[in-house]
Amino acid sequence: MSSDSSTEKVINSLIDNFIDYVDNGNASPDNVRIILSTFYETESFSRAYPEISQKVYSLSKDKFISLEKFMGLTENSENLFSGFFPKHNLENDSKEANLERLERHITLSCYQREYINNTAQKANDAAEKAVKNSKKAQKKVKSIYSEFVGILGIFTAMSFTMMGSVEILGNLFSDIKKLSGDSLGYAFIVGGVYLIVIYLIILMLFIGIKKLFNDQEYKLNRRFAKLLFSVSALFSVAGMVLIFLSK
């Protein structure tokens, strides 16, 4: 247990010195060289991959970037690690392998952290997009329900309006059976007014339907409106003429 604890402390001290070296403008290189000599001499420290990974993964974002710069993993950065112990100055191949192994483990841990962070970020982005799409779908469903209810209400109102108006017209035109000038005149006048009233009611209903689907204004068909009002006026004039002639 004590061995694991001491290894962890050495690893932490090593990586912290790497970070301090970068953050302080390459100051105090002796501290880095001294602690690297420990790894040069001790093979078990260079094989402490779990401790190395744990330290690299626990670094803050800024410190992790500094470590990457020290290891030469960022763009346009120099590998400072290899610069402390040039290979031609190392006398023992097995001890040289300790430093190479240490460098490889730290580099691999950095790459793994980058991959995990990128994968987690992509998963988080995908989850946020899925939540947004879900909310949009819920709003769309609610909008469809409200539009359906609105359209149903509009056509229900239209049906009752038409049924009521037909009944009223039936009562008004019942006097036509007498075929008198007055009854025909009043029927024509009422028919002209009825056309305008029904047109206005239907127009209001279609404006309501238009607003359910978008906020654009309903465009009135001027030619049809003029034709309708002309027919209505013609009915009214004919009715007044009939009433005048019957007297």
Side-chain angles (χ1 to χ4, degrees):
M1 190 73 177
S2 60
S3 176
D4 292 341
S5 177
S6 61
T7 300
E8 184 177 350
K9 289 180 179 179
V10 173
I11 295 294
N12 292 344
S13 177
L14 172 73
I15 294 179
D16 288 340
N17 273 278
F18 288 170
I19 295 170
D20 289 340
Y21 183 79
V22 173
D23 292 343
N24 295 328
N26 300 344
S28 303
D30 292 339
N31 293 339
V32 177
R33 191 173 288 106
I34 289 172
I35 195 168
L36 273 177
S37 64
T38 303
F39 286 84
Y40 177 73
E41 297 292 341
T42 310
E43 181 179 351
S44 61
F45 287 162
S46 65
R47 293 182 179 274
Y49 183 67
E51 289 79 4
I52 294 173
S53 300
Q54 182 178 356
K55 177 62 177 178
V56 172
Y57 294 164
S58 64
L59 292 174
S60 65
K61 184 177 180 179
D62 293 337
K63 291 186 177 181
F64 178 67
I65 293 175
S66 297
L67 177 61
E68 285 187 311
K69 289 180 179 179
F70 186 89
M71 303 302 297
L73 302 180
T74 59
E75 188 176 359
N76 300 325
S77 63
E78 179 186 357
N79 188 343
L80 300 176
F81 182 95
S82 60
F84 276 95
F85 284 91
K87 291 185 177 181
H88 62 271
N89 290 341
L90 300 178
E91 300 175 355
N92 190 305
D93 291 341
S94 63
K95 293 183 179 181
E96 176 186 338
N98 291 339
L99 293 180
E100 292 177 350
R101 190 180 298 111
L102 174 65
E103 180 182 11
R104 185 168 59 250
H105 285 174
I106 295 176
T107 301
L108 179 60
S109 295
C110 290
Y111 283 141
Q112 287 177 336
R113 170 167 168 163
E114 283 285 357
Y115 175 78
I116 293 172
N117 288 346
N118 291 337
T119 303
Q121 184 61 45
K122 290 179 180 178
N124 186 56
D125 293 342
E128 290 180 355
K129 185 176 180 181
V131 171
K132 290 180 180 179
N133 291 336
S134 176
K135 291 181 178 179
K136 288 181 180 179
Q138 290 177 356
K139 290 181 180 179
K140 186 62 177 179
V141 170
K142 291 180 180 179
S143 175
I144 291 174
Y145 282 140
S146 62
E147 290 173 1
F148 175 76
V149 172
I151 294 173
L152 182 62
I154 287 173
F155 279 100
T156 301
M158 184 182 293
S159 300
F160 280 108
T161 302
M162 297 299 292
M163 290 172 61
S165 60
V166 168
E167 184 177 353
I168 293 173
L169 277 182
N171 295 332
L172 291 173
F173 283 101
S174 62
D175 292 337
I176 295 181
K177 296 177 181 179
K178 300 176 183 179
L179 295 177
S180 63
D182 288 340
S183 61
L184 285 174
Y186 285 121
F188 273 107
I189 293 173
V190 171
V193 175
Y194 174 78
L195 285 175
I196 295 176
V197 172
I198 291 300
Y199 174 73
L200 293 176
I201 292 174
I202 295 175
L203 181 63
M204 291 175 62
L205 294 175
F206 275 102
I207 290 174
I209 294 174
K210 185 76 173 178
K211 287 187 176 181
L212 284 175
F213 293 98
N214 51 55
D215 295 331
Q216 297 179 358
E217 295 183 357
Y218 179 80
K219 294 182 178 180
L220 181 66
N221 191 327
R222 296 182 181 276
R223 181 178 299 179
F224 179 77
K226 288 179 180 180
L227 177 62
L228 181 70
F229 280 98
S230 298
V231 172
S232 176
L234 182 61
F235 272 37
S236 299
V237 171
M240 288 186 288
V241 170
L242 288 173
I243 294 173
F244 178 78
L245 293 176
S246 64
K247 291 183 179 181

